Structures are given as structure tokens and as C-alpha cells.
Amino acid sequence: MSNEVNKIEYVSYLEHQGRFKGLKSWIFATDHKRIALLYMYAIAAFFFIGALLGLLMRFELIAPGETIMKAQTYNGLFTVHGVIMIFMVVIPGLSAVFGNFFLPILIGAKDVAFPRLNLFSWWIFVFGSVLAVASQFLKSGPPDTGWTFYAPYSTTTGTSVIIATTAAFILGFSSILTGLNFLVTVHQMRAPGMKFFNMPLFPWAIYATAWIQLLATPIVGITLLMLIAERLFGIGFFDPNLGGDPVLFQHLFWIYSHPAVYIMILPAMGVITEIVPTFCQRKVYGYKAIALSSLAIAGVGFLVWGHHMYTSGMSENARWFFSLLTFIVAVPSAIKVFNWISTMYKGSIDLKPPFLFALAFIFLFIIGGTTGLILGSVATNIQVHDTSFIVAHFHYIIFGGMGFAFFAAIHYWLPKMYGRLYNFRRANIACIIMFIGFNTLYFPQFVIGIQGMPRRYFDYLPQFQTGHMISTIGGVILIFGLFYMLINLIKGARKGPKAPANPWNGSTLEWQIPSPPSLENFDEPFEVKANPYDYK
């Protein structure tokens, strides 16, 4: 971007001395960049806990019969794994970390619209997360319902469902407040001269995501309150014995939880849209199509929840209607993939680690999206419903999508966040190891799912052992790659060589200011006059 930002003597946000010292200067900070790092440290810790729990499940499934744990322990484990990964990692992940850090910078603002509300959102997130973890250690035992808390089992089981659902309810408040903050920031805090259609595309993705956070999250909050009320007071919302309807719970849950998939994936798409033009040194192809496709995904995503429920007894008309909408919502996602590939065409491609992770994302997301169309079709969905095929599809979208985009983002923006560089060769090796491990772990799940392997089962028939054995080996490879990447990033952030202000020759605003940024990002007023992807 040919927007010159005057550079004067500055103190980075990491060195700034405010009202508090030491730890208090972080946990009571209202600077959006410090809050972003607080989110990142918490989310990274939860992610590795969830990943290790997933590896324990894989060790249990390495052979038929009881291997390292009992069935009830396994049920609790996959519930804990799901709650941590969905509510404490994937949903807040990219928005809370990179949205917080870079949304204001990319639109030329000094901070988000409501800095104190931003800090309050983080404290709510921490409180909800602590409560969720605590629910796993209570006397009644960890919840064993799965992360979906399906009724009527969740209304009758004797495990710690109330604490876990209360935690999810509290975490929802953090999501709502963050979304509200980002919406106001985009509308009110853009730099002079920056119109909507010359914003970078990552803010567009965060903007679309924020609408989903604001409008969809209250639905799941109300649903969880109804579940808690039924358990505490015997109100018959979902339990048929009390006059309730368990299918109502599924409708209410998925009206939120399918849009929640786009809370996870839209920021990931925004990250990839920033990385691809930078490492191809080309103006992004189809800027307006990518921007509007983010809004289209957010809008149509509210209307497709029924494809999770084809086997629940809905009418034939409802099934074909939801199937049609599922195929329609795939169109704006396909537009993004087409535009990323078109941007690469005839570009000066530089295979640095962020771009390698972006390529991995595109490959894995295409597999996840294509198998999503298989599930969107009623006939094929009914055959593979509640099998390992669903597990594989879900992880290709969520981990292959949001996860690899998060890794791409941290490798792309770490030099700006910490002012230091990591080892590129080790980062590339980590990416390749994780890519191999991920596909070895999850692709066999497609195969055994088609063969009839049910998901969430503690035991299975001997005919599925080969697939589970390969998956477990893939899980070990993936975990090794994750820790290898983590060590390289920590070494880079702490002791790596100092990063220049613009190590990737990027054109957006964050690359026009020093690394790491100052407290208020921009020390002099400026006006945006150019396209955000103005590569010469």
C-alpha cells in the first residue's frame, strides 16, 4: 500500500510502562495488542491440552477392546476434548488473537472502539474456561454427552453437565462482546480515506464473523439456559418424559452451531487472503468478490443448520430445501478458493513458511469442502451419518482449515507482533511434518466411515483396526510436528534475529509501521489513498 506513515521515535507496546507493572500490566491492559497476546497464550495452552487428550483417544482406539482406559473415561475424554477445542480454542481463536491485534492496525485505528470492554471480554473468557476445566474434576465426574450436549441424555445423566453448560454460556458472552466491539470498530474507527471497499480483506472477514457472533451466539445461550432449567427445575423443554421434544434441542443447537463453523473459518479465509497476494507480489484477484463472499457465507450460513438433522425425522421437503441451501453456501467458499489460485497465477511466488501453511490450508479445505457436499446430499448423508466420515470431514474443515490458517497467521505476523524472526527452515519442516501427520490421521477416517465405523464408539469390530492403527500413527506424527513448530516459534519470539518493519514486502498498513508497533500503532495522522494490495 502506498500510504506513507511518518515514523518518529517510539516505544513498542511490549516495552511501554503504564499504570501497572509486571503481570498486572498485562492482565489489566486495555491495549488491543496485549489483550490479543493474552488470548493467544491461553488458547495455545488449551489447544495443546486438547490435542494431547485427542492423542489419548487415539491410543485407546489403536486396537479393539479396552486398551488404556474404560468406556466411561473415554466418553468423558471426548467430551472434554470437544468442549476445550470448540468453545475455548476454535471459536475464539483467530478472531480473538489476530482480529484483536491486527483489525485496528489494518484499518488505521489506534485501538478497538471499546478497549475496556475488550479486556472484560478476555476476563469472561478466562472465567468461563476455568469453569469448563473445573467441570472435569468434580465428584460427579466429567460430562459424558459430547460437546453437543444432546438431549434427552444431557437432561438425565448424573455427570457435571450443568457446570459445563454454564461455562459454555459464559464463554458465549465473551464472543458476543468481542463481535460487538469489532463491528463498531470497523464502522467508526477506519482511517481517513479508507472506505469499505478499500479495506484489506482480513477486516472484511472479521466484520462478517462479528455479525455471526452477535446474532447467533444468543441462540445457543438461551438453549443452554433451557437445558440447565430442565435439569434443575424439571421443566419439560427437551425430555419426552416431561412433555418435551429432544429434536427441538437439535434445532436450537444447530441454528447456532452451524453459523459457528463460519465463526471459525471466515477469519481463516481472511488470513489466507492476506498471505497469498503478499507472497505472490500480486494484487488480489477479485477483491469485491472475496469481500462480498464473506458476507454471503455469513448470511446463508444461518439457513443450513438442518443438514445436521436429516436422520431426525424431518419432512422430505425440509430435507431437499436444506440440501439445496447447503450447496448454495458452498458457492461463495468456492469463489474464494478460485480467487486465491487466480492470484497465484503468474505471481512471483516466494515459498516462505506462511505461504507453505497457506497452501496446506487450501489443499485441506478443498478436501473438507468437497466432503461437505457429500454430506449436504441427503442420500449420501444418511449412509454416513454418525460415522467416522463425519469426524474426518469436521477435522478437515476445523483443524485443516482454522488450525492451519492459525499456524499460517502466526508465522506471517510473528515478526510484527514480537519484532523478531524465527528459523524459516525449521518452520517449513514443521509444516511438512504436520501436513503428513494430519492426512495420515484423518484420511483413513473417511475410509472406515464409509465402511460403517460409528463415531464416538469406545470399541469397534476387528475389520476397522487397520484404519485406526494408521490414524494413531498419524496422530503421533502430528503431535511431534506441533511441538517442533511451537519450540521454533518460542525461540524466534524470544531470541530470534530482529525483524525489519516489512520482512515480506507486504503492502497493507501493518507493514508500514515499526516492528513491534507502538502503543497507539500510528504516531502521526495519515490518509489512505491507495488500494490495500498495490504491488508494483
Side-chain angles (χ1 to χ4, degrees):
M1 183 180 282
S2 59
N3 306 297
E4 291 298 324
V5 179
N6 295 328
K7 299 176 178 63
I8 62 173
E9 191 71 26
Y10 86 109
V11 176
S12 84
Y13 78 98
L14 293 170
E15 299 168 342
H16 176 76
Q17 296 294 324
R19 177 182 171 190
F20 298 105
K21 309 292 183 186
L23 180 62
K24 286 185 178 180
S25 69
W26 284 86
I27 62 174
F28 296 120
T30 55
D31 176 25
H32 66 101
K33 298 179 289 297
R34 289 200 173 198
I35 292 171
L37 293 187
L38 289 173
Y39 270 114
M40 186 172 73
Y41 299 147
I43 288 169
F46 292 133
F47 171 77
F48 279 94
I49 292 170
L52 290 173
L53 293 177
L55 187 63
L56 289 175
M57 287 190 286
R58 290 275 18 121
F59 284 141
E60 171 55 41
L61 294 173
I62 198 169
E66 184 178 317
T67 307
I68 63 170
M69 65 184 75
K70 296 188 179 299
Q72 185 62 23
T73 304
Y74 181 83
N75 290 344
L77 210 61
F78 74 64
T79 301
V80 177
H81 170 78
V83 168
I84 288 176
M85 287 301 203
I86 297 297
F87 294 110
M88 294 149 65
V89 176
V90 177
I91 288 178
L94 282 162
S95 290
V97 177
F98 300 105
N100 254 317
F101 200 109
F102 288 103
L103 174 64
I105 298 175
L106 283 165
I107 64 173
K110 292 185 175 183
D111 208 317
V112 293
F114 306 115
R116 291 183 179 179
L117 187 65
N118 200 17
L119 178 62
F120 183 54
S121 299
W122 180 77
W123 274 106
I124 293 174
F125 171 77
V126 170
F127 178 61
S129 299
V130 169
L131 200 62
V133 172
S135 71
Q136 316 310 315
F137 300 101
L138 297 179
K139 186 177 180 180
S140 54
D144 56 355
T145 59
W147 71 274
T148 55
F149 302 112
Y150 264 14
Y153 183 66
S154 59
T155 65
T156 57
T157 178
T159 56
S160 308
V161 169
I162 291 179
I163 301 299
T165 50
T166 302
F169 176 79
I170 292 169
L171 289 165
F173 269 101
S174 176
S175 185
I176 292 169
L177 295 177
T178 300
L180 175 65
N181 212 342
F182 288 169
L183 286 172
V184 178
T185 300
V186 170
H187 276 279
Q188 298 294 327
M189 306 287 286
R190 299 192 309 277
M194 180 174 282
K195 307 298 182 184
F196 260 91
F197 282 106
N198 61 353
M199 279 198 312
L201 287 162
F202 182 66
W204 267 105
I206 293 295
Y207 178 72
T209 303
W211 278 113
I212 304 174
Q213 290 174 280
L214 187 67
L215 298 177
T217 310
I219 299 172
V220 78
I222 293 168
T223 307
L224 295 174
L225 282 181
M226 292 167 70
L227 177 61
I228 293 167
E230 180 156 329
R231 286 184 63 95
L232 289 176
F233 308 116
I235 302 172
F237 292 122
F238 309 123
D239 187 347
N241 294 323
L242 300 173
D245 183 0
V247 177
L248 173 63
F249 180 89
Q250 292 190 38
H251 278 292
L252 292 173
F253 182 84
W254 289 114
I255 285 173
Y256 161 76
S257 293
H258 195 83
V261 172
Y262 302 116
I263 295 177
M264 308 169 198
I265 205 66
L266 273 172
M269 293 172 165
V271 167
I272 303 307
T273 310
E274 295 298 326
I275 290 173
V276 169
T278 300
F279 289 92
C280 296
Q281 292 294 290
R282 282 201 67 203
K283 181 179 178 180
V284 68
Y285 181 87
Y287 170 91
K288 286 190 177 180
I290 294 178
L292 295 176
S293 67
S294 294
L295 297 180
I297 290 170
V300 182
F302 277 96
L303 308 175
V304 300
W305 78 89
H307 67 218
H308 295 272
M309 301 171 56
Y310 288 155
T311 61
S312 66
M314 65 170 58
S315 70
E316 183 178 343
N317 287 338
R319 288 195 291 184
W320 75 253
F321 181 72
F322 280 119
S323 181
L324 174 64
L325 289 172
T326 301
F327 278 78
I328 290 173
V329 81
V331 174
S333 298
I335 287 172
K336 290 182 183 292
V337 174
F338 174 80
N339 287 6
W340 294 330
I341 295 172
S342 299
T343 303
M344 295 179 205
Y345 180 63
K346 291 187 177 180
S348 300
I349 293 176
D350 185 6
L351 277 176
K352 290 288 196 311
F355 189 69
L356 206 59
F357 276 103
L359 290 178
F361 165 91
I362 293 171
F363 179 86
L364 299 174
F365 180 73
I366 288 173
I367 293 177
T370 305
T371 53
L373 294 177
I374 293 172
L375 297 173
S377 173
V378 178
T380 47
N381 178 289
I382 289 173
Q383 298 302 315
V384 297
H385 186 79
D386 269 344
T387 68
S388 292
F389 192 96
I390 306 292
V391 176
H393 159 73
F394 184 77
H395 284 85
Y396 265 88
I397 289 291
I398 301 306
F399 192 176
M402 181 272 173
F404 273 79
F406 193 99
F407 304 148
I410 190 62
H411 284 86
Y412 182 54
W413 279 315
L414 183 138
K416 182 59 58 178
M417 298 166 80
Y418 291 96
R420 294 188 179 274
L421 295 171
Y422 49 85
N423 186 295
F424 290 175
R425 181 173 174 272
R426 290 174 184 168
N428 285 336
I429 292 172
C431 180
I432 293 168
I433 292 172
M434 287 192 292
F435 182 78
I436 293 170
F438 179 89
N439 284 287
T440 308
L441 169 57
Y442 290 113
F443 198 83
Q445 300 294 311
F446 283 127
V447 178
I448 62 175
I450 292 172
Q451 292 172 343
M453 173 66 208
R455 66 171 173 168
R456 296 180 174 173
Y457 271 38
F458 164 77
D459 200 1
Y460 55 86
L461 297 174
Q463 67 206 55
F464 301 122
Q465 183 177 3
T466 301
H468 280 299
M469 173 73 76
I470 296 170
S471 286
T472 302
I473 293 170
V476 173
I477 296 171
L478 179 60
I479 289 289
F480 175 78
L482 286 168
F483 278 100
Y484 188 77
M485 177 191 70
L486 179 67
I487 292 167
N488 184 45
L489 289 173
I490 291 174
K491 283 184 176 179
R494 295 184 63 188
K495 299 180 181 179
K498 289 190 176 181
N502 192 357
W504 316 125
N505 194 29
S507 65
T508 42
L509 280 176
E510 79 271 35
W511 304 117
Q512 316 307 317
I513 59 177
S515 299
S518 64
L519 179 66
E520 293 189 338
N521 305 328
F522 304 95
D523 295 312
E524 292 290 332
F526 66 98
E527 184 175 355
V528 174
K529 297 179 180 178
N531 182 283
Y533 306 101
D534 188 16
Y535 293 99
K536 303 299 183 185

